[in-house]
Amino acid sequence: MEAQSGVQRSANPSHLSWVTVSRNLLLAYQSFGVVYGDLSTSPLYVYTNIFAGRMQNHQTEEVIFGAFSLVFWTFTLIPLIKYVCIVLSADDNGEGGTFALYSLLCRHAKLSLLPNQQAADEELSSYKYGPSTQTMASSPLKRFLEKHKRLRTALLIVVLFGASMVIGDGVLTPAISVLSAVSGLQEANNKLTNGELVLLACVILVGLFALQHCGTHKVAFMFAPIVIIWLVSILSIGLYNIVHWNPKIVHALSPHYIIKFFNHTGKEGWISLGGVLLSITGTEAMFADLGHFTALSIRLAFALVIYPCLVVQYMGQAAFLSKNPKSIPNSFYDSIPDKLFWPLCIIATLAAIVGSQAVITATFSIVKQCHALGCFPRVKVVHTSKHIYGQIYIPEINWILMILTLAITVGFQDTTLIGNAYGLACMTVMFVTTFLMGLVIIFVWQKSVILAVLFLLLFGFIEGVYLSAALMKVPLGGWAPLVLSAIFMFIMYIWHYGTRKKYNFDLHNKVSLKWLLGLGPSLGIVRVPGIGLIYSELATGVPAIFSHFVTNLPAFHKVLVFVCVKSVPVPYVSPEERFLIGRVCPRPYRMYRCIVRYGYKDIQRDDGDFENMLIQSIAEFIQMEAVEQPQFSSSESSSLDGRMAVMSTRPVQSSLSLIVSEQDFLSIDDSIQNSRSLTLQSLQSAYDDDNLHIRTRHVTFQLPSNPGMDPAVREELMDLIQAKEAGAAYIMGHSYVKARRTSSFLKKLAIDIGYSFLRKNCRGPAVALNIPHISLIEVGMIYYV
């Protein structure tokens, strides 16, 4: 469908607009089941929480009108104005969330703590987002932040804290949604005990998390109709209550009623803000789930459907309560006409369960971004949509969330306590987003500092007041998100700290190029046919593991390629810009460097074509170097691990340097038998027996007949082709990271216990990089950091 529409777009511009509109309408429909499930179920418990505790002494019509006015203006200022109008415009080429803002800041100011960034990364087409940063070069604030590493570390900690709170939301939201749903069943059937309710909630939770592997696309189509029916229902009931009970509630749209509210309630009114903020829980999902949809689709859904439906429902519920204040403990269900009670009860139960989907999806997005930016251990990321990269499923995170959610449900067994925790978690995430947006306004949008300060003062003050009210409830369940976020933040920071220390060790223990040059082109050993792909996190230099081979093995491959697969702080890298190719030593050494760059939205596909694209890119580099630097092409002292060039990874059929022929067959390449040991042959035979059904594509490269080609270039290309036909071996370091003996106790605790535990229990680097196990060679290395 996508391919067909792509053909028609270029031929018919009007069709382009129709495709865009229809796609956004479809995504807006899906967003109801993923993004807005949580936000739309808030009317179930908002007024009940506002008038809890001592607020029961202030259940007058004027106070109820003031409570609605608070809900209305909170709902207008934060979700509508802050998020829909402002924050959604700060997307990182379609990606949203805390780390999307952080990656934007890292690109427009040197705030990143990742050490393997290169100047070539800044040339990526998706790297520069928004206006040119040249005018900001002399900004004193920018220089101040870039100069002080502690400030950059503090910024990272704030970002990790916000990301951890989003994951905490992913634990708390399913618990409160499902418990509130089954609590409605208890009111209908008094025979149900608390134990039976908790057991039923746990069964529903297990089923909900088991559905996640279907993918956002399928889950959204299943859940969206439920939310839409729910929204239409609460809109109708809201209108009925306004007309039937108290049309004067319309006057409460005036903020004057907020002043009256606080005049009557005083300190109790301030504490009740913890209940008011429950009306906007789930708002952050609009931004965090942006990668699953588009900004336009989310704006359309909120402005045209969500906002009017919820405002009318809150208004109608307040109109009912103003004449029936004794119904506040069960405000939503009591406001429903008797004939509609059971249909609405069933729809409300389903909608409350759907509400947890929003933050589960947001959690997957946040974890994927954390991992890509070096702040989360390696996990399996499954992309569930062929057309939208952002729609993902992470099995390990899914089951961890399920276990933690079950623990919260069984441990608290009370929606009031979970609600206190939930409100604190949501408001903390919003506060972090506001802070980061202030920096984005200055560094990315390049607006004046005054505008950023006004943004921070307005929304920071509003959210700060709500946050202060939520913090008052820390002893009453509010401690739960703080503990959860502390655990996840510890994991993120330990992984980031250990990764940075390990990289710095590699950087300071590189093999000397003078030593390699002193060994000569043969490296002092026998060079046998084949390609050795040496994987390292180093973007420059030769890793220390290479010296282990040279000094301990009698033979090595004739062609060596140092491969660095790294993430860059952009959402995606186009295939034409993915490969950076260069030399490590002069031409006779046949040693190259390949840097493979991925964005945090990119799919690292296991399509078996990496070797072919690598060979093609190196061949293009050899040809390009000979054309652009003919005076150096025959020199043995050129290209000493310096110059890198972007090589387009075009389909192998389009190679300019090589003639390509392809063949599909069911067995593995016979050339393996010619160059590998009997052990590898037997392993290959066993592999063949288990995988007879797999059809393999064999690509053969040949040199074109070009009499004008430089003999040295032809010889190098022939060596490359012969090495490819002989087979490739993947070489990686099997590292053990330990703290030095002179290190502090905290560092030993972080490295020897924390980082070591995470490395042992996450996915192996070879699996994450899709390296074939049959061709893998691992070299043991101990890192004393």
Side-chain angles (χ1 to χ4, degrees):
M1 180 177 172
E2 285 283 310
Q4 293 174 358
S5 64
V7 172
Q8 297 171 4
R9 285 173 194 171
S10 58
N12 189 356
S14 63
H15 184 74
L16 171 63
S17 60
W18 168 243
V19 168
T20 304
V21 171
S22 60
R23 178 173 179 267
N24 278 289
L25 289 175
L26 179 63
L27 289 173
Y29 166 77
Q30 290 186 40
S31 72
F32 289 114
V34 175
V35 177
Y36 294 115
D38 183 22
L39 192 62
S40 64
T41 54
S42 296
L44 286 169
Y45 43 77
V46 168
Y47 285 111
T48 303
N49 278 271
I50 291 175
F51 289 97
R54 295 182 180 179
M55 281 295 292
Q56 294 175 3
N57 302 323
H58 303 282
Q59 295 177 354
T60 64
E61 178 177 305
E62 201 164 53
V63 172
I64 291 171
F65 275 34
F68 165 68
S69 189
L70 267 172
V71 170
F72 170 74
W73 285 104
T74 301
F75 201 71
T76 301
L77 287 171
I78 295 181
L80 181 63
I81 296 179
K82 177 190 165 185
Y83 278 89
V84 172
C85 297
I86 301 175
V87 174
L88 286 180
S89 299
D91 67 291
D92 187 7
N93 288 280
E95 193 72 12
T98 308
F99 266 86
L101 294 177
Y102 180 64
S103 66
L104 276 175
L105 292 171
C106 288
R107 298 207 305 269
H108 287 78
K110 296 177 182 178
L111 303 178
S112 175
L113 294 175
L114 288 177
N116 63 347
Q117 304 302 302
Q118 298 172 282
D121 298 338
E122 299 179 11
E123 302 302 321
L124 290 169
S125 57
S126 57
Y127 194 92
K128 297 298 182 186
Y129 180 79
S132 171
T133 57
Q134 293 179 356
T135 58
M136 291 299 299
S138 60
S139 168
L141 179 60
K142 183 179 178 181
R143 291 199 305 268
F144 181 73
L145 289 174
E146 292 175 348
K147 182 180 178 181
H148 294 83
K149 186 178 179 181
R150 290 185 179 180
L151 291 176
R152 289 182 282 139
T153 304
L155 177 64
L156 177 65
I157 291 174
V158 169
V159 170
L160 293 183
F161 184 62
S164 300
M165 279 293 183
V166 173
I167 300 175
D169 282 351
V171 174
L172 295 167
T173 305
I176 191 173
S177 299
V178 174
L179 267 181
S180 62
V182 296
S183 296
L185 296 177
Q186 189 182 37
E187 291 178 9
N189 186 358
N190 294 325
K191 295 180 181 180
L192 287 174
T193 64
N194 286 335
E196 291 170 340
L197 284 176
V198 171
L199 179 61
L200 178 60
C202 291
V203 170
I204 295 173
L205 284 170
V206 171
L208 176 65
F209 282 101
L211 274 177
Q212 298 304 314
H213 77 279
C214 296
T216 307
H217 177 77
K218 295 178 182 177
V219 171
F221 263 97
M222 288 188 289
F223 286 170
I226 296 172
V227 177
I228 291 173
I229 294 171
W230 164 253
L231 289 168
V232 172
S233 302
I234 62 175
L235 173 68
S236 304
I237 293 169
L239 287 171
Y240 168 81
N241 285 330
I242 293 169
V243 175
H244 184 264
W245 290 107
N246 195 349
K248 292 181 180 179
I249 188 65
V250 177
H251 298 154
L253 293 174
S254 168
H256 178 63
Y257 281 85
I258 297 176
I259 300 173
K260 290 184 177 181
F261 175 85
F262 285 111
N263 285 337
H264 282 83
T265 58
K267 182 180 178 182
E268 287 80 12
W270 168 61
I271 296 176
S272 73
L273 290 176
V276 176
L277 69 85
L278 291 178
S279 65
I280 57 173
T281 52
T283 301
E284 184 70 22
M286 285 195 292
F287 189 45
D289 285 341
L290 188 57
H292 298 248
F293 305 98
T294 62
L296 179 58
S297 64
I298 289 177
R299 284 181 170 126
L300 285 173
F302 184 86
L304 300 180
V305 181
I306 298 294
Y307 184 77
C309 286
L310 289 181
V311 167
V312 169
Q313 164 55 211
Y314 285 124
M315 186 184 294
Q317 211 174 133
F320 169 80
L321 293 177
S322 67
K323 300 299 182 183
N324 303 275
K326 292 183 179 180
S327 295
I328 283 177
N330 195 25
S331 62
F332 178 78
Y333 287 108
D334 285 355
S335 69
I336 300 172
D338 292 339
K339 294 180 181 180
L340 299 177
F341 177 82
W342 276 109
L344 260 293
C345 183
I346 295 171
I347 295 171
T349 302
L350 293 173
I353 295 171
V354 172
S356 60
Q357 179 62 39
V359 288
I360 294 174
T361 307
T363 302
F364 292 155
S365 297
I366 286 288
V367 169
K368 169 75 165 60
Q369 294 172 24
C370 291
H371 165 64
L373 296 175
C375 294
F376 205 88
R378 290 179 293 269
V379 290
K380 182 179 182 180
V381 178
V382 180
H383 291 260
T384 57
S385 173
K386 294 181 180 179
H387 307 301
I388 303 176
Y389 282 4
Q391 296 192 355
I392 60 173
Y393 163 69
I394 303 177
E396 297 96 328
I397 298 301
N398 187 60
W399 303 125
I400 289 172
L401 287 179
M402 186 188 75
I403 292 169
L404 291 174
T405 301
L406 292 175
I408 290 287
T409 306
V410 174
F412 281 99
Q413 301 186 16
D414 186 354
T415 54
T416 303
L417 295 176
I418 300 175
N420 294 338
Y422 186 37
L424 177 59
C426 291
M427 190 49 63
T428 303
V429 174
M430 293 181 189
F431 198 76
V432 170
T433 300
T434 299
F435 170 72
L436 294 176
M437 272 301 302
L439 297 178
V440 167
I441 290 171
I442 299 172
F443 297 132
V444 181
W445 293 353
Q446 297 183 17
K447 304 297 182 182
S448 69
V449 176
I450 296 174
L451 190 64
V453 170
L454 289 175
F455 176 85
L456 289 172
L457 286 177
L458 175 61
F459 294 106
F461 174 75
I462 296 170
E463 292 166 0
V465 171
Y466 282 113
L467 189 60
S468 66
L471 287 172
M472 295 294 291
K473 299 184 178 181
V474 167
L476 302 174
W479 56 267
L482 296 177
V483 171
L484 288 172
S485 63
I487 293 171
F488 282 106
M489 190 169 69
F490 175 78
I491 291 172
M492 291 179 183
Y493 188 76
I494 288 296
W495 183 261
H496 182 80
Y497 177 77
T499 302
R500 200 169 75 245
K501 290 294 183 183
K502 181 177 177 292
Y503 182 88
N504 288 335
F505 179 92
D506 275 332
L507 203 62
H508 293 108
N509 291 274
K510 292 187 294 187
V511 176
S512 169
L513 281 178
K514 290 183 179 180
W515 179 71
L516 283 178
L517 294 173
L519 294 175
S522 69
L523 300 178
I525 54 178
V526 178
R527 303 289 291 271
V528 296
I531 297 178
L533 302 177
I534 304 170
Y535 279 77
S536 167
E537 295 177 3
L538 285 178
T540 59
V542 177
I545 59 169
F546 181 66
S547 63
H548 287 224
F549 276 98
V550 175
T551 54
N552 294 295
L553 290 183
F556 212 63
H557 301 85
K558 191 167 186 178
V559 175
L560 298 176
V561 184
F562 294 95
V563 181
C564 171
V565 179
K566 72 171 189 176
S567 293
V568 288
V570 295
Y572 56 85
V573 177
S574 64
E576 293 77 16
E577 300 175 306
R578 192 173 309 286
F579 280 45
L580 271 177
I581 303 292
R583 289 191 189 275
V584 175
C585 283
R587 174 174 289 168
Y589 286 72
R590 304 295 192 255
M591 294 169 66
Y592 309 94
R593 179 180 310 287
C594 173
I595 298 175
V596 189
R597 302 178 292 184
Y598 287 98
Y600 54 78
K601 280 179 64 179
D602 275 326
I603 303 174
Q604 297 188 26
R605 296 188 183 276
D606 183 17
D607 54 9
D609 206 32
F610 174 74
E611 286 182 28
N612 297 323
M613 291 190 296
L614 179 62
I615 297 301
Q616 175 193 337
S617 298
I618 294 174
E620 297 284 350
F621 173 79
I622 293 170
Q623 284 280 74
M624 183 204 71
E625 185 186 48
V627 172
E628 293 185 4
Q629 293 182 314
Q631 67 271 28
F632 298 117
S633 62
S634 60
S635 170
E636 295 190 2
S637 62
S638 63
S639 302
L640 297 182
D641 196 27
R643 182 174 179 270
M644 302 285 290
V646 177
M647 291 291 117
S648 171
T649 55
R650 294 169 295 190
V652 290
Q653 292 88 348
S654 66
S655 175
L656 299 176
S657 305
L658 305 174
I659 299 174
V660 181
S661 59
E662 297 185 38
Q663 179 181 353
D664 285 350
F665 64 108
L666 289 174
S667 61
I668 307 299
D669 190 0
D670 292 335
S671 64
I672 292 171
Q673 308 292 331
N674 301 327
S675 62
R676 300 190 179 183
S677 66
L678 294 174
T679 304
L680 282 181
Q681 290 180 23
S682 64
L683 287 172
Q684 185 68 62
S685 176
Y687 179 84
D688 293 347
D689 293 340
D690 292 336
N691 297 274
L692 289 175
H693 63 284
I694 297 177
R695 181 169 295 276
T696 307
R697 185 178 66 137
H698 179 60
V699 178
T700 303
F701 294 97
Q702 295 177 339
L703 274 180
S705 55
N706 183 3
M709 183 181 292
D710 188 296
V713 173
R714 176 175 289 274
E715 180 185 354
E716 187 172 10
L717 290 174
M718 282 299 300
D719 286 344
L720 186 65
I721 293 172
Q722 291 170 3
K724 194 271 178 188
E725 292 302 316
Y730 296 79
I731 301 145
M732 297 193 72
H734 190 81
S735 55
Y736 301 89
V737 183
K738 296 182 179 180
R740 293 177 183 173
R741 294 179 180 178
T742 56
S743 300
S744 65
F745 172 75
L746 284 177
K747 185 176 180 180
K748 289 180 179 178
L749 188 68
I751 298 296
D752 294 345
I753 298 178
Y755 185 67
S756 178
F757 175 81
L758 292 176
R759 280 182 62 84
K760 289 176 182 177
N761 291 278
C762 70
R763 297 189 93 206
V767 179
L769 294 169
N770 301 316
I771 293 175
H773 188 70
I774 193 70
S775 303
L776 177 64
I777 302 172
E778 291 190 308
V779 187
M781 279 284 293
I782 298 179
Y783 289 76
Y784 289 102
V785 299

